[in-house]
Amino acid sequence: MARSFVLVLAAGGVLAGCASSSGSGAELSPTDVAGEWAQGDSEPRVYLELAEDGGLTGSDGCNQLTGSWEVDGTEVAFSDLAATMMACEDVDTWLSGAESATVDGDEMTVLGSGDKEIGTLEKSE
């Protein structure tokens, strides 16, 4: 009985080690998140650059964005997000409403007020 229990624990540890650190519901680390995230081939370009020191820069396709970010368990929390106030015709400036995000592999789901999904970005490296 004790031997079976040890085997079950060992198998569980091996399986847990195979889990992705950036999968949905998994704890994130700053290295999972740091880097550039962009919206496909958007024109004008929509992107976030998340620096390793917690700084954030980017563009919503019209306005320049600055702020900071940190990993909060399974989410990325954005704070002090500020945007220039340019008026651009026919540009959806959804990214300026970012409050947090989840990361699943190379896809970031950006959340706005009330944790509502407002768009997605892909890791671009």
Side-chain angles (χ1 to χ4, degrees):
M1 176 79 166
R3 186 176 199 186
S4 296
F5 182 71
V6 170
L7 288 175
V8 169
L9 282 178
V14 168
L15 291 175
C18 293
S20 168
S21 61
S22 61
S24 61
E27 290 282 322
L28 294 170
S29 74
T31 57
D32 294 327
V33 181
E36 185 176 275
W37 299 83
Q39 184 181 36
D41 294 327
S42 60
E43 192 59 46
R45 194 156 178 265
V46 175
Y47 73 96
L48 287 178
E49 177 72 36
L50 305 180
E52 291 181 15
D53 68 0
L56 173 156
T57 57
S59 173
D60 63 9
C62 177
N63 297 290
Q64 297 301 307
L65 305 172
T66 61
S68 59
W69 68 277
E70 68 179 356
V71 171
D72 184 12
T74 61
E75 286 192 354
V76 179
F78 301 120
S79 57
D80 303 322
L81 193 61
T84 57
M85 300 295 285
M86 302 292 292
C88 300
E89 289 186 35
D90 301 322
V91 176
D92 182 358
T93 58
W94 63 270
L95 189 54
S96 61
E99 293 186 4
S100 63
T102 59
V103 175
D104 188 4
D106 288 338
E107 183 173 278
M108 175 182 284
T109 301
V110 181
L111 308 172
S113 179
D115 286 338
K116 183 175 181 178
E117 181 179 331
I118 58 174
T120 59
L121 301 172
E122 296 175 3
K123 188 89 173 205
S124 53
E125 286 191 67

